Amino acid sequence: AVVSTQSTGSANMNTHQEIKAHSELHKTQGGEYIKSIIYGGLDGIVSVFVSVAAVEGGDSAIKIVILLGLAKLVAGAISMGVGDWMSASADVDYAKNERRREKWEMDNYIEGEIDEMVELYVQKGLKEPTARRLMEIISSCPKLFLDMMMVDELGILPEEENQVPWKHGMANFTSFIIFGSVPLLGYIVFLLAGATHTNSTTTFGVSIGLTGFTLLLMGAVKGRLTGTNIIISSVTTLILGAIGATLGWLVSFLLYKYTGVSI
């Protein structure tokens, strides 16, 4: 009996530790900047690669390829960073304005707000008396009731009001710069080694290889952070990135073919 009790206690302790570890992992999996990092990184690597592919070929000077790529890198990073910052700011402003409106309604007509919440929870499956009793209890704590109204009525989580817009913009900008630099690395190495022109497929091949590998790596990181299948996430990211790059290159090729405009 003693052994059985000890075994049960040990099993319970292990289960508790597993739950705690899973909970701590869960907190990191929904990182608030994942969207900005993936969005900026994917746009950066694909758009810069397309810029490189558009001027690759023939006897193009490596310096020209690098300069055009860097111009796209800096301009794109600034545009994406500012855009993400403004988008996050708009989300925060909207959430705060809705909270003020809901708070005013709660302060001036609490009965009406309770009725709305009761109706929502009846639709979720609760009996009307149970839902009303629950809302009357929760409404005794104004902040909790207000948070519930924001989530259940408007779909706005409390975390959305606490975003720091400039951090989202910086995450997007930094990710764009880091990942967008990858297609240029091969050209920079060849330039440092003394090459002056892209008169072979070697430099472009290196750029393709680095870009593909980085897309796979980005997908793996995304899968790890979001708790999805890493292999599926990696392959999906690679395929989507390849499709985007191919379509971008195709547009530049068709423009050259039918207009004769070339860099």
Side-chain angles (χ1 to χ4, degrees):
V2 174
V3 174
S4 177
T5 302
Q6 290 177 342
S7 299
T8 302
S10 177
N12 290 337
M13 182 177 294
N14 290 336
T15 301
H16 174 72
Q17 290 175 345
E18 290 175 1
I19 293 175
K20 182 179 179 182
H22 179 76
S23 177
E24 291 174 349
L25 178 62
H26 177 71
K27 291 178 182 177
T28 64
Q29 287 180 335
E32 56 185 320
Y33 303 114
I34 291 178
K35 179 180 177 181
S36 295
I37 292 172
I38 297 299
Y39 188 29
L42 186 60
D43 190 38
I45 194 170
V46 171
S47 59
V48 173
F49 177 79
V50 170
S51 297
V52 168
V55 297
E56 171 64 37
D59 197 33
S60 303
I62 289 182
K63 288 184 178 180
I64 296 298
V65 175
I66 293 175
L67 287 175
L68 288 173
L70 288 176
K72 171 60 181 176
L73 183 67
V74 175
I78 293 174
S79 176
M80 289 292 291
V82 172
D84 202 347
W85 167 53
M86 294 181 66
S87 176
S89 295
D91 288 341
V92 171
D93 291 341
Y94 171 75
K96 289 183 176 180
N97 182 64
E98 289 300 311
R99 176 172 286 272
R100 285 192 294 268
R101 183 178 64 81
E102 289 292 339
K103 187 177 186 306
W104 184 91
E105 293 178 355
M106 184 181 70
D107 292 340
N108 291 274
Y109 187 43
I110 185 65
E111 294 81 6
E113 295 302 305
I114 290 177
D115 288 341
E116 289 181 7
M117 292 295 289
V118 168
E119 182 178 351
L120 284 174
Y121 274 79
V122 167
Q123 293 175 0
K124 292 176 183 289
L126 287 181
K127 298 296 184 180
E128 197 276 340
T130 302
R132 184 166 299 279
R133 185 163 62 253
L134 178 63
M135 290 303 115
E136 287 175 350
I137 294 173
I138 295 176
S139 62
S140 64
C141 179
K143 184 181 183 305
L144 175 59
F145 189 56
L146 182 57
D147 287 342
M148 286 188 64
M149 288 192 296
M150 292 288 291
V151 174
D152 292 323
E153 290 186 19
L154 304 173
I156 299 176
L157 298 173
E159 292 79 8
E160 294 182 40
E161 302 173 62
N162 300 322
Q163 296 183 85
V164 184
W166 73 265
K167 289 186 178 181
H168 283 273
M170 185 57 67
N172 196 310
F173 173 87
T174 303
S175 182
F176 193 105
I177 289 290
I178 293 174
F179 287 100
S181 299
V182 171
L184 300 175
L185 292 180
Y187 293 92
I188 294 174
V189 170
F190 276 89
L191 180 64
L192 294 176
T196 58
H197 289 75
T198 61
N199 49 16
S200 70
T201 59
T202 304
T203 49
F204 190 47
V206 170
S207 180
I208 292 176
L210 288 173
T211 299
F213 175 77
T214 304
L215 285 170
L216 284 172
L217 182 62
M218 183 188 300
V221 172
K222 171 179 170 290
R224 176 68 179 83
L225 293 175
T226 58
T228 55
N229 186 285
I230 292 178
I231 295 178
I232 294 178
S233 179
S234 298
V235 174
T236 300
T237 303
L238 175 62
I239 292 175
L240 292 177
I243 291 175
T246 302
L247 292 176
W249 175 84
L250 184 61
V251 170
S252 66
F253 173 77
L254 292 175
L255 286 175
Y256 168 71
K257 181 178 180 179
Y258 292 104
T259 67
V261 177
S262 178
I263 297 177

Short mmCIF file of all heavy atoms in Angstrom, two decimals, residues 62-63 66 185-197 202-203:
data_model
loop_
_atom_site.label_atom_id
_atom_site.label_comp_id
_atom_site.label_asym_id
_atom_site.label_seq_id
_atom_site.Cartn_x
_atom_site.Cartn_y
_atom_site.Cartn_z
N ILE A 62 28.20 42.82 -60.94
CA ILE A 62 27.77 42.38 -59.61
C ILE A 62 27.42 43.59 -58.73
O ILE A 62 26.47 43.55 -57.96
CB ILE A 62 28.87 41.54 -58.94
CG1 ILE A 62 28.98 40.18 -59.63
CG2 ILE A 62 28.58 41.32 -57.46
CD1 ILE A 62 29.99 39.24 -59.03
N LYS A 63 28.17 44.68 -58.89
CA LYS A 63 27.89 45.87 -58.08
C LYS A 63 26.49 46.41 -58.36
O LYS A 63 25.81 46.88 -57.44
CB LYS A 63 28.94 46.94 -58.35
CG LYS A 63 30.32 46.64 -57.78
CD LYS A 63 31.27 47.78 -58.02
CE LYS A 63 32.64 47.50 -57.40
NZ LYS A 63 33.59 48.62 -57.64
N ILE A 66 23.95 44.20 -56.61
CA ILE A 66 23.97 44.43 -55.17
C ILE A 66 23.33 45.77 -54.82
O ILE A 66 22.52 45.87 -53.89
CB ILE A 66 25.41 44.38 -54.62
CG1 ILE A 66 25.97 42.96 -54.75
CG2 ILE A 66 25.46 44.82 -53.16
CD1 ILE A 66 27.42 42.83 -54.36
N LEU A 185 23.71 37.70 -50.36
CA LEU A 185 24.95 37.23 -49.73
C LEU A 185 25.92 36.62 -50.74
O LEU A 185 27.13 36.86 -50.67
CB LEU A 185 24.60 36.22 -48.63
CG LEU A 185 23.87 36.77 -47.42
CD1 LEU A 185 23.59 35.65 -46.41
CD2 LEU A 185 24.68 37.88 -46.75
N GLY A 186 25.38 35.80 -51.66
CA GLY A 186 26.25 35.17 -52.64
C GLY A 186 26.98 36.19 -53.50
O GLY A 186 28.18 36.06 -53.76
N TYR A 187 26.27 37.22 -53.93
CA TYR A 187 26.87 38.26 -54.75
C TYR A 187 27.94 39.04 -53.98
O TYR A 187 28.98 39.40 -54.53
CB TYR A 187 25.79 39.21 -55.27
CG TYR A 187 24.84 38.56 -56.24
CD1 TYR A 187 23.66 37.96 -55.80
CD2 TYR A 187 25.12 38.53 -57.60
CE1 TYR A 187 22.79 37.35 -56.68
CE2 TYR A 187 24.26 37.92 -58.50
CZ TYR A 187 23.11 37.33 -58.03
OH TYR A 187 22.26 36.71 -58.92
N ILE A 188 27.66 39.30 -52.71
CA ILE A 188 28.63 40.04 -51.89
C ILE A 188 29.90 39.22 -51.71
O ILE A 188 31.02 39.76 -51.81
CB ILE A 188 28.01 40.37 -50.52
CG1 ILE A 188 26.86 41.36 -50.70
CG2 ILE A 188 29.05 40.95 -49.57
CD1 ILE A 188 26.08 41.66 -49.43
N VAL A 189 29.75 37.91 -51.48
CA VAL A 189 30.92 37.04 -51.32
C VAL A 189 31.74 37.01 -52.60
O VAL A 189 32.98 37.12 -52.58
CB VAL A 189 30.48 35.62 -50.92
CG1 VAL A 189 31.68 34.66 -50.99
CG2 VAL A 189 29.90 35.62 -49.52
N PHE A 190 31.08 36.87 -53.75
CA PHE A 190 31.79 36.84 -55.02
C PHE A 190 32.48 38.17 -55.31
O PHE A 190 33.59 38.20 -55.85
CB PHE A 190 30.82 36.49 -56.17
CG PHE A 190 30.61 35.02 -56.35
CD1 PHE A 190 29.61 34.36 -55.66
CD2 PHE A 190 31.42 34.29 -57.20
CE1 PHE A 190 29.41 33.01 -55.81
CE2 PHE A 190 31.23 32.92 -57.37
CZ PHE A 190 30.22 32.27 -56.67
N LEU A 191 31.84 39.28 -54.92
CA LEU A 191 32.46 40.59 -55.12
C LEU A 191 33.71 40.72 -54.27
O LEU A 191 34.75 41.21 -54.74
CB LEU A 191 31.46 41.69 -54.76
CG LEU A 191 31.95 43.13 -54.93
CD1 LEU A 191 32.25 43.42 -56.41
CD2 LEU A 191 30.92 44.12 -54.41
N LEU A 192 33.61 40.28 -53.03
CA LEU A 192 34.78 40.33 -52.14
C LEU A 192 35.90 39.43 -52.63
O LEU A 192 37.08 39.68 -52.35
CB LEU A 192 34.37 39.94 -50.72
CG LEU A 192 33.40 40.90 -50.00
CD1 LEU A 192 33.00 40.34 -48.65
CD2 LEU A 192 34.04 42.29 -49.84
N ALA A 193 35.53 38.37 -53.35
CA ALA A 193 36.53 37.43 -53.87
C ALA A 193 37.18 37.94 -55.15
O ALA A 193 38.09 37.30 -55.68
CB ALA A 193 35.89 36.07 -54.12
N GLY A 194 36.70 39.08 -55.66
CA GLY A 194 37.32 39.69 -56.83
C GLY A 194 36.51 39.62 -58.09
O GLY A 194 36.92 40.19 -59.12
N ALA A 195 35.38 38.94 -58.10
CA ALA A 195 34.54 38.86 -59.30
C ALA A 195 33.88 40.22 -59.55
O ALA A 195 33.59 40.97 -58.62
CB ALA A 195 33.47 37.79 -59.13
N THR A 196 33.65 40.51 -60.79
CA THR A 196 33.07 41.81 -61.14
C THR A 196 31.76 41.68 -61.92
O THR A 196 30.93 42.59 -61.90
CB THR A 196 34.04 42.65 -61.98
OG1 THR A 196 34.39 41.91 -63.18
CG2 THR A 196 35.29 42.97 -61.19
N HIS A 197 31.57 40.55 -62.61
CA HIS A 197 30.37 40.38 -63.43
C HIS A 197 29.72 39.02 -63.16
O HIS A 197 30.40 38.05 -62.79
CB HIS A 197 30.70 40.49 -64.92
CG HIS A 197 31.05 41.87 -65.34
ND1 HIS A 197 32.27 42.45 -65.04
CD2 HIS A 197 30.34 42.81 -66.03
CE1 HIS A 197 32.31 43.68 -65.52
NE2 HIS A 197 31.15 43.92 -66.13
N THR A 202 26.65 30.70 -61.60
CA THR A 202 27.11 30.34 -60.25
C THR A 202 26.52 31.25 -59.19
O THR A 202 25.96 30.79 -58.18
CB THR A 202 28.64 30.37 -60.17
OG1 THR A 202 29.19 29.50 -61.16
CG2 THR A 202 29.11 29.91 -58.79
N THR A 203 26.65 32.55 -59.37
CA THR A 203 26.18 33.50 -58.36
C THR A 203 24.67 33.40 -58.17
O THR A 203 24.18 33.40 -57.03
CB THR A 203 26.55 34.94 -58.74
OG1 THR A 203 26.17 35.18 -60.10
CG2 THR A 203 28.04 35.18 -58.59
#
